[in-house]
Amino acid sequence: MRVNFERSTKINVNTKKERTLQLMLNVIGILMFMGILIRWWTVPFAVSKDLRIYYNQDFQMPLNECKEFLAFALCTAGIYFALVNVYFLGKTGRKLVYTILVLLAAFTFSMMLTLLL
């Protein structure tokens, strides 16, 4: 009786590669959105002509803009992490992610045209 070990080995290697890629994309997303949120506090700082850092109150966001910025950052982070994790659920997850990305692209394009007109 012969046993085919080659097939089971390939499945484990692919699963490990997918998990590693998923972990890497999640870590990149965490760092990316932490950078976006850090912008909230670093925007009022500017550099003068003599290369000194100073605080400029004209650049500080009002409370209403801070709420909008925070809502934008949290919504985009939620969409990003949802899409990354759904993508690795299998073939159906990949199709769903590609469909959502095409719909987001179409929506973005239509909003761009609406704002231009």
Side-chain angles (χ1 to χ4, degrees), residues 8-40:
S8 64
T9 306
K10 287 181 182 179
I11 292 172
N12 287 338
V13 171
N14 289 338
T15 305
K16 286 181 183 179
K17 284 182 182 179
E18 285 182 0
R19 293 293 174 211
T20 304
L21 181 61
Q22 183 180 8
L23 178 66
M24 183 185 73
L25 289 174
N26 282 326
V27 168
I28 288 172
I30 289 169
L31 294 175
M32 183 173 54
F33 288 108
M34 281 177 52
I36 290 172
L37 290 176
I38 288 173
R39 180 188 176 275
W40 186 10

Side-chain angles (χ1 to χ4, degrees), residues 10-100:
K10 287 181 182 179
I11 292 172
N12 287 338
V13 171
N14 289 338
T15 305
K16 286 181 183 179
K17 284 182 182 179
E18 285 182 0
R19 293 293 174 211
T20 304
L21 181 61
Q22 183 180 8
L23 178 66
M24 183 185 73
L25 289 174
N26 282 326
V27 168
I28 288 172
I30 289 169
L31 294 175
M32 183 173 54
F33 288 108
M34 281 177 52
I36 290 172
L37 290 176
I38 288 173
R39 180 188 176 275
W40 186 10
W41 291 285
T42 59
V43 166
F45 294 100
V47 179
S48 65
K49 291 181 181 178
D50 57 348
L51 299 177
R52 292 187 183 198
I53 297 175
Y54 67 97
Y55 183 80
N56 190 348
Q57 285 188 334
D58 296 335
F59 293 148
Q60 188 173 10
M61 287 190 278
L63 184 61
N64 189 27
E65 286 183 13
C66 288
K67 288 178 184 177
E68 291 174 2
F69 179 73
L70 188 60
F72 165 77
L74 293 177
C75 287
T76 54
I79 291 170
Y80 174 82
F81 289 114
L83 288 177
V84 165
N85 291 311
V86 166
Y87 180 82
F88 290 101
L89 291 179
K91 210 171 198 178
T92 307
R94 288 187 175 110
K95 287 181 183 179
L96 180 65
V97 168
Y98 290 138
T99 304
I100 291 172

Side-chain angles (χ1 to χ4, degrees), residues 93-113:
R94 288 187 175 110
K95 287 181 183 179
L96 180 65
V97 168
Y98 290 138
T99 304
I100 291 172
L101 288 177
V102 167
L103 291 174
L104 279 173
F107 177 73
T108 303
F109 188 68
S110 67
M111 282 291 122
M112 180 188 70
L113 292 177

